[in-house]
Structures are given as structure tokens and as C-alpha cells.
Amino acid sequence: MTTDTAKQEDAMSTATTPTRAPHSDVPTGHKPAEGRVGAGLFDPKQLLKSLPDAFRKLDPRVMIKSPVMFVVLVGSVLTTVFSFKDPTDWFGWTISAWLWLTVVFANLAEAVAEGRGKAQADTLRRAKTDTMARRMTGDAEEHVPGTELRIGDLVVCEAGDVIPGDGDVVEGVASVDESAITGESAPVIRESGGDRSAVTGGTKVLSDRVVIKITTKPGETFIDRMINLVEGAARQRTPNEIALNILLASLTIVFLLAVATLPPFAGYAGTHLTMVVLVALLVCLIPTTIGALLSAIGIAGMDRLVQRNVLAMSGRAVEAAGDVSTLLLDKTGTITLGNRQAAAFVPVEGATEAEVADAAQLSSLADETPEGRSVVVLAKERYGLRERVQGELSGAEWIAFTAQTRMSGVDVDGRKVRKGAAGSVIAWVREQGGTVAEDAGTLSDRISEAGGTPLLVAVEDAEGARILGVVHLKDVVKEGMRERFEELRRMGIRTVMITGDNPLTARAIAEEAGVDDFLAEATPEDKMALIKREQAGGKLVAMTGDGTNDAPALAQADVGVAMNTGTSAAKEAGNMVDLDSDPTKLIEIVEIGKQLLITRGALTTFSIANDVAKYFAIIPALFAAVYPGLDKLNIMGLSSPDSAILSAVVFNALIIIALVPLSLKGVRYRPVSADRMLRRNLTVYGLGGLIAPFIGIKLIDLLISLIPGIG
């Protein structure tokens, strides 16, 4: 977040671009609702809620979106019609019933996945209220319904008011309750003039007074968009999903043509294949398993992000996260803890630590940043210096920090004290006619090489202008970051740390954290250029951002994750919004994206392997009586042609139900190389997909063979 703290911290290294300050209002201890992920179809309440939707989806206009299941629906209708011709045909009615169940089970998988989003949408609807707004017209205020607000309107909100629409705080600072959106009860701070200015309609002001500039039209607010997205109303099929649908449709057409050629062959061989048998054969041969689960897998992927308080604006973004090969991460607050603290006072030759501590504390009294306060505290604790207050220093002239001067200080009692970036302080000393200690630059470089930030402390008094020493600001790398980056490396993802620090400091932090590369003294233009270079090399790039100056890079990145605490411009530019405003969540997002792709690939492999096994169940049983040689292919030893067909149809329906929890929960992702992942996929899901039908169909056949008239 680019607060004044961030600006000062960053400008110590460069006068152009701020680094992010710590996320003071990032919720801690928030855990995703993972407990409900695996409940899937076997949650009775969810099942009952989703069942009506499953039947409503039998509408052909809905089913046509899935070519495979549309063919199954048509087949169900045909077998039902032909069964009416002979009401005593128990076999025909049984096949029809299981085909209808196959369609319903497929719809139920999608309905269960959508049901989770609808539960979230209901919560959001409760947060979305029609409120009265205090709109400013000149110096006066008028009370108008929130639905009448337009982009650019200014509204006033005080403690207890519900914010009437999305906007940016343009005046004041307030504590805001966003629990309706984020699920976190801890309030957050929203203020003007920084990158924590965005507010969301439906949230509540807890303290103080703010003026908000409305940035969205009624009905297009953030909550409205969230409701549409989590309900699935705005979900669009991703490129990979579309491509897989085309492949499945092509396979369906191929098998449809193949089955259409069987009646002439059967007639030539002296046997007869009924329409019920042909439809059952077609349904068993086409890839119904993955066709039934494909939509549910995509919806569940977005749902897993929602459970982690990340709102994906499109399924394309989730899918792109799975293919990301370059990850851009801010240093401050992401890789490091963010709050740089004074760790030591290092004097130059001829000065003492006590002199440096006294001058540093004096120059920091008006500095309310975490860094400034840490200087005051360190001087008090380590050197026993009393924490003076500004009021005690009569006649003092405080020098505020600016991005241009890159230093701050105070003029008091005939002394001038300055603290700031090395280059700026050295230039100030020379302007005052003083001399620069020879070891000042060496000490600064040593601290930078160690990953710290050096702040030079200088004074001008009766002895002239001179540098006293260096304040060592230390930023700590978060625990476990090196291991996380090692995992990403095994996933084939290159990590790049973005920072406004000088190259020496950036290199030290990068080595300690274990990132692959870094970009120091980064400006918004530098970020854009880096993203474009990576994309020109055929790579997909993900990054996080929160400020207006991050918006161009977020829009350019393939996966742009905007922080909820950030500006409206950043949230509009990104294709994901992290409601917890935790930049490290980008790593989880990539893992969820990869899990989505792996789940889709694994179940596709399983489905195709299933179909291959079903060929051995049905084809030999159909023609063994005419061509006895085919009986050798009847590996399962199925009792009769009717039993073989019915067993395959029943297994075809039941396997969809069995795989619904896996499609919703997702295949467990492990950070391994692509070739190892492929081998594991083929071994577990390919071989498993071949073996499962042999066992399942045989067991069903044994049960069916006990039924009189079938066995």
C-alpha cells in the first residue's frame, strides 16, 4: 500500500517510485472454509437444494451447451419412446431409467457446484441494502436513495452509516466494517490520498467522517458483480474448456457414425440390434464421464478461490493462473514483513554511537512512520535517551519528508539535524559547506549488501556540517518464503521480486528469500516493460498490485490480482480481487489454477480409459453368438449380451456419482516436474480408469445375472 510510510521508505532508495508499505489492515488468522470442500454430493442438505436445479437443467436449451450430455438426453428420450411400444420390455425400461439417471447425475454435479456459489451470493445479498445517501451539492447536503447516485457524486458518511455505493475516499479517514464481504470481523482503515482509499457499497463506517466519490453506477457495484460471479450467471467457458468440449463433441460424432454402421453389419451377420441397444451402446462409448463433470470442475475451481476470499472475474483468469510461468511479487509486505525497524546506529570515524542515536532520535520525533518510531524507541531502549516530544522543543522547525528531498529533520537550538537517503544527506552536507566522512559510503554499502536500508544522519552546528553515522533499518524475510519459492521452482515458475530498493539491498533480500530474479528501483514503466518482455517470450505472467500506478501492469498481466484495500482503478484493472489484501495469496492462486488444470486432465484421462475398458465389455458380448471367436475378448466373462449392456450403462451412471466429490474438491496438487506429473496421471488415472470398469461392470453383472429374465 502506498502510504506516506511507503513513500518515505521507498524514496530512500529512489526518488521515483514507492515500494509497498505493510498491510496494516490485512486480517490475520483468517482461514478459508476448507471444511466444506470435500462434502460434495454427499452433503444431504446440499443435495436436496441442488436436486430441483438438476431437473430444471434437463431443458434442451441448457443441455445443448454440453454436446455429450445432450446426446445422452436424446438417447434417453428415444429409449423411453421405444419402451412404450412394448410396456412389458423390462430390459428397455431399465436401460431408459439408467440413461435418465445418467443425465440427472451429470446435471446434479453442476448444480451442486453452483449451489455453493449461491450460498455465498445469499450472504452478499443480505449485505446489499438500499440505503439513503447524503449527497453533497455545493456546500449543502441532500438525502437521496442510493439507487439515484451517479458516477462522480460526492457523499458523506459518518459513524454508523452504511456506505451507499462503491467509491474512493477523497476526504478524511475512517474505520470500516467489511465483514459482510470478507468474513473478517476486524475493521479496516480507509483514508484519502493513498492506496487504501477504495470503499465498497454495503459496508459500514464505524468511526469518524469521510467524503466518498462514487465510481460505479447502481446495479454495477462490486457486490452486484460478486453475486453474478459466484452464482455462475457471469461464468464463461475458458479456452481450454471450450477446446475440450470441441474434442468431446468430435469423439461423440465419430462414435455416433460408428454405431450407425452396426445395424447393417448385424443384419448381414443374421442378428438384430434394437434401438435401445444401439443407444445404450452409444452412451457407453462416448466420453460421458468427463462430459458430465467438465462444467462442475470449472465452477469448483472458482469456488475454491471464493473460499479463500479471492474473487475471480472470469474462469479464464483461474485457468491462466494454472499456466503461469512468471510470478511478480512485491518485496515489502509480501516477501518481507514490511515494517522496517531500526536495528543499529553505526557511527562514522570520529563520532560515537550515542551521538548518532541522539541526532537520529531528534530528527525522528515528527516522523510517525513505523521506521521513524522504531528509531525513537531504539535510541531510548539501547542508549537510555528519554523519548522527547515535539512540544518540549520550543521554536523547533520540523522538516517534513518529501519524495524530492528524500530526507527529514529538525532545526532547533542553533542545530540542524537531517536523516534520510544517503545521496540526499551527502548532498545537503556539501551544500552547507561541510565535509563527508570517507567511511560514510562504505558503511552504507555494507548495510545495503546485508539487505538493510541505510539512513544517513547528519548535523550542522558550531563545528560545521558533518555526517555522524548511519541508521541500519532492517526488513525481515517472512518465515517459510524460501521453501515456498522452492516449490514454485519445482512447478516450473520463475519468481521475480519487485522493489524500489537500490540494487545492493534488493540483491541481498533476493538471495535470502530465494527468488530467481529481482527488479530494483522499479517504476510503473519498468513493471510494464518486464511483463511485456516475459509475454513476448511466450510466458504467462501473474502479479499483485493495489495502487492506481499499478493499474496498467495489472491490466497487462495475464493474472492481475488487485488488493481489496487498493484503489478502484487497481480493482478494475485486475482480473482477480483478493478480499483479504494479502499479496502472498498469489502463490495459492497459482496452485489452485494448476489444481484446476490437473483435475480436468486427470478426469479426462480416467474417462477415456473407462471407455476403452467398456469396449471390451459390450462389443464381444453383442457379437459373440454370431462370431464365436470374439468370445475370447470377453475377458470379464459377462453372462449375456443383455447383462453386459445393462451392466455397462449402470456403471456409466454410477461412476459419474463416484467422481463428483473429486471434481469438486480437485485432484491434490504436488509441485513436481511436468514429466513426473504426466507419469503419475497416466499411472493413477489412466491405469485406474482401465481397471475400474472391469471390476465394476463384473460386479454389476453378477448382481444382474441373479435377476430372472436377464441373467
Side-chain angles (χ1 to χ4, degrees):
M1 311 307 172
T2 312
T3 59
D4 293 338
T5 300
K7 292 174 183 175
Q8 174 163 352
E9 169 190 304
D10 194 59
M12 300 300 180
S13 303
T14 172
T16 54
T17 306
T19 307
R20 303 191 198 293
H23 299 274
S24 58
D25 58 356
V26 172
T28 56
H30 177 80
K31 294 184 179 179
E34 294 183 45
R36 62 189 179 94
V37 174
L41 186 68
F42 304 111
D43 181 352
K45 292 182 180 179
Q46 188 66 65
L47 178 62
L48 290 175
K49 288 181 180 179
S50 303
L51 200 55
D53 288 334
F55 283 102
R56 278 193 288 269
K57 289 178 180 290
L58 292 175
D59 185 340
R61 293 169 296 183
V62 177
M63 296 295 299
I64 194 67
K65 296 177 181 178
S66 175
V68 176
M69 298 315 300
F70 181 73
V71 169
V72 180
L73 176 66
V74 173
S76 304
V77 173
L78 287 175
T79 55
T80 303
V81 170
F82 278 91
S83 295
F84 271 109
K85 292 184 177 181
D86 184 2
T88 62
D89 183 9
W90 190 90
F91 176 76
W93 284 111
T94 306
I95 291 291
S96 298
W98 279 101
L99 290 183
W100 280 111
L101 284 175
T102 302
V103 180
V104 171
F105 290 163
N107 289 346
L108 195 58
E110 185 175 354
V112 168
E114 290 177 348
R116 295 178 173 187
K118 289 179 179 178
Q120 175 101 355
D122 290 340
T123 302
L124 292 171
R125 280 198 182 90
R126 288 195 291 271
K128 185 177 182 295
T129 59
D130 293 328
T131 59
M132 293 296 291
R134 295 162 57 187
R135 184 168 61 188
M136 297 181 65
T137 54
D139 295 330
E141 295 180 10
E142 61 175 337
H143 290 263
V144 298
T147 53
E148 292 185 10
L149 294 176
R150 295 295 178 262
I151 295 175
D153 285 350
L154 296 177
V155 297
V156 177
C157 289
E158 295 181 337
D161 291 344
V162 174
I163 297 173
D166 293 358
D168 289 323
V169 176
V170 295
E171 181 183 319
V173 58
S175 175
V176 179
D177 176 10
E178 294 186 343
S179 58
I181 299 175
T182 65
E184 273 296 328
S185 57
V188 296
I189 301 299
R190 293 292 176 263
E191 59 188 346
S192 62
D195 289 337
R196 291 186 298 168
S197 60
V199 291
T200 306
T203 57
K204 188 176 183 180
V205 176
L206 298 179
S207 68
D208 302 293
R209 175 184 184 275
V210 288
V211 177
I212 299 167
K213 183 177 181 180
I214 300 298
T215 57
T216 57
K217 299 177 182 178
E220 298 179 6
T221 64
F222 190 61
I223 288 184
D224 288 318
R225 292 165 64 191
M226 285 182 69
I227 291 172
N228 288 333
L229 287 163
V230 298
E231 277 190 321
R235 194 183 94 88
Q236 295 180 342
R237 295 181 186 272
T238 64
N240 283 352
E241 196 173 344
I242 292 171
L244 187 53
N245 256 317
I246 293 172
L247 173 63
L248 298 181
S250 302
L251 290 174
T252 301
I253 293 172
V254 169
F255 285 117
L256 183 61
L257 295 174
V259 170
T261 62
L262 288 179
F265 282 107
Y268 178 78
T271 187
H272 175 66
L273 298 178
T274 65
M275 180 60 70
V276 172
V277 170
L278 290 173
V279 170
L281 178 61
L282 174 63
V283 170
C284 290
L285 296 183
I286 61 178
T288 49
T289 306
I290 186 60
L293 300 174
L294 186 58
S295 183
I297 293 170
I299 295 171
M302 295 185 70
D303 181 60
R304 282 192 289 276
L305 280 178
V306 171
Q307 291 169 19
R308 286 162 177 78
N309 268 2
V310 178
L311 179 65
M313 299 304 179
S314 69
R316 181 190 295 266
V318 185
E319 193 172 89
D323 286 328
V324 161
S325 51
T326 302
L327 207 57
L328 306 186
L329 296 162
D330 281 327
K331 176 181 74 70
T332 306
T334 304
I335 295 174
T336 63
L337 292 177
N339 281 340
R340 292 180 180 179
Q341 302 291 306
F345 299 112
V346 185
V348 298
E349 187 176 352
T352 65
E353 287 188 32
E355 287 180 312
V356 179
D358 179 71
Q361 186 190 62
L362 187 62
S363 65
S364 301
L365 293 179
D367 186 352
E368 295 299 328
T369 66
E371 294 85 354
R373 301 311 304 160
S374 72
V375 170
V376 174
V377 172
L378 181 66
K380 176 183 177 182
E381 293 179 348
R382 185 169 296 183
Y383 300 99
L385 296 176
R386 185 173 64 85
E387 186 175 343
R388 295 160 287 189
V389 295
Q390 298 180 48
E392 294 179 12
L393 304 174
S394 59
E397 181 182 349
W398 300 98
I399 310 301
F401 171 85
T402 67
Q404 289 71 38
T405 62
R406 296 191 293 156
M407 61 181 180
S408 58
V410 62
D411 295 346
V412 62
D413 296 333
R415 297 174 66 200
K416 294 182 179 180
V417 183
R418 297 292 184 271
K419 176 197 70 179
S424 298
V425 174
I426 288 173
W428 178 81
V429 169
R430 286 174 176 163
E431 287 174 3
Q432 308 306 312
T435 57
V436 178
E438 293 183 1
D439 56 343
T442 304
L443 292 174
S444 297
D445 289 345
R446 188 182 304 164
I447 291 173
S448 295
E449 289 170 0
T453 298
L455 300 180
L456 287 188
V457 178
V459 64
E460 183 190 16
D461 53 19
E463 298 180 22
R466 63 194 185 281
I467 291 176
L468 295 178
V470 187
V471 179
H472 181 179
L473 290 181
K474 189 175 182 181
D475 200 356
V476 181
V477 173
K478 290 181 179 179
E479 185 178 353
M481 290 307 293
R482 176 174 282 274
E483 290 74 16
R484 295 296 295 273
F485 291 137
E486 182 60 37
E487 285 184 13
L488 290 170
R489 200 170 291 113
R490 289 197 297 270
M491 291 158 57
I493 296 175
R494 176 172 169 265
T495 52
V496 181
M497 182 183 77
I498 307 295
T499 178
D501 287 335
N502 62 63
L504 288 176
T505 302
R507 183 180 299 278
I509 294 292
E511 290 176 355
E512 183 180 353
V515 295
D516 298 310
D517 201 355
F518 66 90
L519 179 64
E521 299 181 346
T523 65
E525 292 76 17
D526 293 335
K527 296 178 186 178
M528 278 285 288
L530 175 59
I531 293 172
K532 288 180 178 179
R533 283 199 305 272
E534 293 291 319
Q535 291 173 332
K539 299 176 181 177
L540 267 65
V541 182
M543 74 162 287
T544 60
D546 51 27
T548 301
N549 62 352
D550 289 324
L554 286 171
Q556 180 67 35
D558 300 285
V559 179
V561 184
M563 302 294 101
N564 189 44
T565 55
T567 62
S568 297
K571 290 199 281 189
E572 287 293 330
N575 48 25
M576 291 188 187
V577 176
D578 177 15
L579 302 179
D580 291 335
S581 299
D582 178 7
T584 59
K585 202 177 289 182
L586 183 57
I587 299 174
E588 290 184 52
I589 291 171
V590 170
E591 291 175 347
I592 291 172
K594 285 190 174 294
Q595 185 185 36
L596 170 64
L597 296 178
I598 292 169
T599 302
R600 188 183 292 152
L603 293 185
T604 300
T605 304
F606 187 91
S607 177
I608 294 174
N610 253 260
D611 294 335
V612 172
K614 283 182 284 188
Y615 304 158
F616 286 94
I618 298 178
I619 302 298
L622 282 178
F623 294 98
V626 181
Y627 300 106
L630 287 177
D631 194 53
K632 294 180 180 179
L633 296 178
N634 187 14
I635 302 172
M636 303 181 199
L638 302 179
S639 56
S640 69
D642 284 353
S643 176
I645 295 170
L646 185 54
S647 299
V649 170
V650 172
F651 176 83
N652 200 56
L654 294 180
I655 198 64
I656 293 174
I657 286 290
L659 291 175
V660 167
L662 182 61
S663 67
L664 297 181
K665 185 177 181 180
V667 175
R668 183 182 175 186
Y669 171 71
R670 294 180 175 85
V672 296
S673 60
D675 57 338
R676 286 186 61 189
M677 193 180 300
L678 178 61
R679 285 197 300 270
R680 180 178 179 277
N681 197 27
L682 291 175
T683 302
V684 175
Y685 297 98
L687 188 60
L690 281 172
I691 295 173
F694 283 92
I695 298 173
I697 291 175
K698 180 59 179 177
L699 290 175
I700 295 170
D701 174 72
L702 291 175
L703 293 175
I704 290 176
S705 63
L706 300 176
I707 301 174
I710 297 289

